[in-house]
């Protein structure tokens, strides 16, 4: 994903912090807002995008960083002036006190580390997936409730203005009877870490997860899944590792039944040539489209870096572009929003139940590929997401 950082003034002036400060009144605004003490685990690629956003967030105090490759924690700690640096989660949890763990480690490590943090009484913001299975994730949520801590998982697109526009357009009935939707996201695959291609990895939890979150968020929880997945490229060359076998799918087609006849389709892959590479801001295609009996709507660009929404209806059959301003939305803002929510009590549209529903969709897609069958889903989440 493309990096997009914001400075503190932009963060406070344009967005989410504004409302909280206004409520606090002029006297309180003169003081520093209450801050959430944050520890970041996983100092690899994505930490280079999260840390600038966290460092600029007025509700965050960056307390510690941790990585099993200690030189990475040292480097990020030095660059972002984070005083406490650890080589292992045990030392991090036993070290300098903090409130919120931001988990940016390998996908296969999230559930275990999230569970350990919750057991230690920490709130958690986790990169996707929140857990490796629905059952594991549900246990994690139960543990969090028992400990009185909050847990959230990426991705964060439901807070974008484009998501809100699409959700409200659907809710207003402007598309008529909702029929079908399609979404796609792919590139030629990361080359910096092997976990993307190993069991528990794959293009679904890394890429399709965005579209699955957006489409279930827009259309409602899925009732059943049918899918085909494959491995197109059987070996990959990974920096520092050399050639590795690919054991997780790198090509996926997932169909979701949302009930009332509404069917959607998501495709993802690590073998997709794109003339723009992985530069989100260059993408101008409709990567998400939704169609009904009275209208059609397309998201311009990716849901994680949206550029607008094109809408055509029976009354207005020429596509018109709406919601071209993303405001303060950037895909890497979720951990900062979680810190703000903990500091101010402000609610969040992102819910762990939604993240776990998507975990179940991906597990069902793997099962459908293995068995050749349609797989019924059990989980659900608060919907509509945006009212
Ligand atoms: N790189 C991106 O652009 C990007 C964008 C969005 C989301 N993500 C997600 O972020 C997560 C991390 O991806 P990445 O690209 O940064 O990977 P990465 O390999 O660059 O970084 C992961 C880091 O976690 C560390 N780590 C692994 N296990 C650990 C453990 N048990 N304790 C402490 N540290 C541990 C690794 O040493 C490594 O430095 C993944 O879930 C990925 O899907 C990545």
């Amino acid at each position: 994903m493309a990096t997009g950082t914001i400075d503190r003034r932009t963060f406070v002036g344009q967005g989410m912090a504004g409302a909280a400060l206004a409520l606090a009144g002029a006297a309180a605004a003169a003081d520093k807002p209450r801050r959430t003490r944050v520890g970041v685990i996983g100092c690899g690629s994505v930490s280079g995008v999260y840390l600038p956003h966290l460092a600029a967030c007025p509700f965050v105090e960056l307390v510690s960083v941790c990585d099993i490759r200690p030189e990475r924690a040292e480097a990020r700690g030095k660059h972002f002036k984070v005083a406490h640096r650890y080589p292992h989660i045990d030392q991090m949890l036993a070290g300098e006190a903090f409130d919120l763990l931001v988990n940016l480690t390998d996908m296969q490590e999230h559930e275990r580390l999230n569970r350990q943090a919750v057991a230690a009484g920490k709130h958690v913001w986790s990169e996707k997936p929140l857990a490796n299975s629905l059952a594991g994730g549900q246990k994690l949520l139960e543990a969090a409730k028992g400990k009185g801590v909050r847990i959230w998982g990426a991705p964060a697109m439901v807070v974008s203005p484009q998501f809100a526009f699409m959700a409200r357009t659907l809710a207003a009935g402007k598309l008529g009877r909702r029929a079908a939707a399609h979404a796609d996201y792919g590139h030629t695959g990361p080359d910096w870490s092997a976990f993307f291609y190993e069991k528990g990895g794959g293009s679904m939890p890394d890429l399709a997860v965005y579209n699955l979150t957006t489409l279930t968020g827009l259309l409602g929880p899925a009732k059943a899944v049918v899918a085909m997945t494959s491995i197109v490229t059987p070996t990959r060359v990974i920096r520092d590792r050399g050639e590795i076998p690919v054991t997780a799918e790198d090509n996926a087609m997932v169909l979701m039944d949302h009930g009332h006849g509404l069917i959607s389709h998501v495709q993802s892959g690590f073998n997709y040539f794109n003339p723009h590479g992985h530069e989100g801001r260059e993408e101008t295609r409709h990567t998400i489209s939704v169609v009904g009996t009275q209208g059609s709507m397309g998201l311009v660009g990716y849901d994680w870096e949206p550029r607008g929404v094109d809408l055509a209806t029976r009354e207005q059959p020429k596509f018109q572009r709406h919601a071209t301003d993303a405001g303060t939305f950037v895909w890497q803002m979720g951990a900062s929003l979680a810190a703000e929510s903990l500091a101010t009590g402000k609610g969040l549209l992102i819910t762990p139940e939604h993240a776990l529903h998507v975990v179940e969709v991906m597990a069902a897609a793997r099962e459908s590929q293995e068995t050749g069958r349609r797989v019924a889903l059990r989980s659900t989440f608060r919907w509509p997401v945006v009212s």
Side-chain angles (χ1 to χ4, degrees):
M1 281 182 183
T3 309
T5 59
I6 59 170
D7 63 26
R8 182 179 291 261
R9 186 180 302 155
T10 311
F11 195 104
V12 174
Q14 288 184 4
M16 60 187 211
L21 285 178
L23 278 177
D31 298 325
K32 281 188 178 165
R34 224 196 118 224
R35 295 198 292 171
T36 300
R37 289 167 65 81
V38 173
V40 174
I41 190 163
C43 295
S45 165
V46 83
S47 72
V49 192
Y50 265 71
L51 280 164
H53 200 278
L54 286 165
C57 175
F59 299 102
V60 169
E61 180 185 349
L62 277 171
V63 168
S64 53
V65 284
C66 173
D67 200 297
I68 45 171
R69 294 171 73 163
E71 70 284 2
R72 292 189 170 183
E74 279 304 316
R76 291 293 192 219
K78 202 168 161 204
H79 188 86
F80 291 98
K81 300 185 176 58
V82 189
H84 304 278
R85 303 152 195 177
Y86 302 100
H88 195 278
I89 189 167
D90 290 350
Q91 283 150 274
M92 185 193 204
L93 293 174
E96 186 68 16
F98 66 94
D99 310 304
L100 172 69
L101 181 84
V102 175
N103 187 350
L104 310 179
T105 62
D106 303 10
M107 295 192 275
Q108 294 84 346
E109 291 286 272
H110 295 170
E111 182 180 322
R112 183 175 72 81
L113 298 175
N114 293 343
R115 202 167 44 232
Q116 201 175 333
V118 163
K122 309 297 181 197
H123 306 282
V124 172
W125 170 270
S126 175
E127 251 305 329
K128 35 57 174 190
L130 191 59
N132 302 321
S133 67
L134 175 64
Q138 284 171 336
K139 275 193 202 143
L140 189 61
L141 253 59
E142 281 304 308
K145 278 185 195 135
K147 278 279 180 184
V149 295
R150 305 290 306 276
I151 181 159
W152 296 274
M157 293 90 50
V158 297
V159 303
S160 80
Q162 287 75 16
F163 180 90
F165 178 85
M166 292 177 92
R168 290 189 180 121
T169 300
L170 285 163
K174 291 193 181 154
L175 265 51
R177 195 175 169 82
R178 302 171 308 156
H182 167 77
D184 67 272
Y185 179 22
H187 52 67
T188 49
D191 67 354
W192 58 89
S193 282
F195 72 81
F196 293 102
Y197 304 103
E198 295 169 340
K199 192 173 180 316
S203 77
M204 282 194 295
D206 193 46
L207 305 182
V209 63
Y210 293 93
N211 292 163
L212 293 170
T213 305
T214 297
L215 285 185
T216 51
L218 288 174
L219 307 177
K223 316 253 182 251
V225 163
V226 174
M228 283 192 198
T229 67
S230 66
I231 293 174
V232 172
T233 304
T235 62
R236 293 268 174 172
V237 175
I238 301 297
R239 283 184 226 163
D240 306 337
R241 279 277 297 269
E243 192 167 75
I244 59 150
V246 173
T247 51
E249 54 74 25
D250 64 4
N251 197 31
M253 295 271 180
V254 183
L255 279 166
M256 293 186 285
D257 172 0
H258 299 268
H260 310 286
L262 176 58
I263 300 168
S264 71
H265 172 248
V266 170
Q267 68 179 78
S268 65
F270 287 142
N271 301 279
Y272 287 11
F273 169 77
N274 185 308
H276 313 299
H278 201 195
E279 240 348 288
R281 69 180 71 94
E282 299 293 328
E283 186 55 80
T284 54
R285 288 183 306 119
H286 288 168
T287 66
I288 295 184
S289 53
V290 186
V291 67
T293 51
Q294 308 285 324
S296 173
M297 183 165 66
L299 179 80
V300 185
Y302 293 114
D303 48 4
W304 51 268
E305 192 157 347
R307 299 165 56 99
V309 180
D310 290 341
L311 174 67
T313 60
R314 200 174 282 273
E315 292 77 40
Q316 184 68 259
K318 200 166 178 301
F319 268 124
Q320 307 257 317
R321 187 153 296 183
H322 305 264
T324 52
D325 186 359
T328 56
F329 174 77
V330 282
W331 60 267
Q332 66 271 29
M333 76 192 310
S336 303
L337 292 176
E340 181 188 6
S341 179
L342 291 170
T344 65
K346 188 177 166 186
L348 255 187
L349 297 176
I350 303 160
T351 62
E353 290 80 10
H354 191 181
L356 285 186
H357 181 67
V358 172
V359 165
E360 189 187 17
V361 169
M362 295 187 292
R366 292 190 193 109
E367 186 182 334
S368 178
Q369 163 62 24
E370 279 161 23
T371 61
R373 292 199 354 254
R374 173 189 178 99
V375 179
L377 303 185
R378 290 174 290 137
S379 66
T380 187
F381 60 92
R382 186 185 69 207
W383 190 82
V385 174
V386 173
S387 48

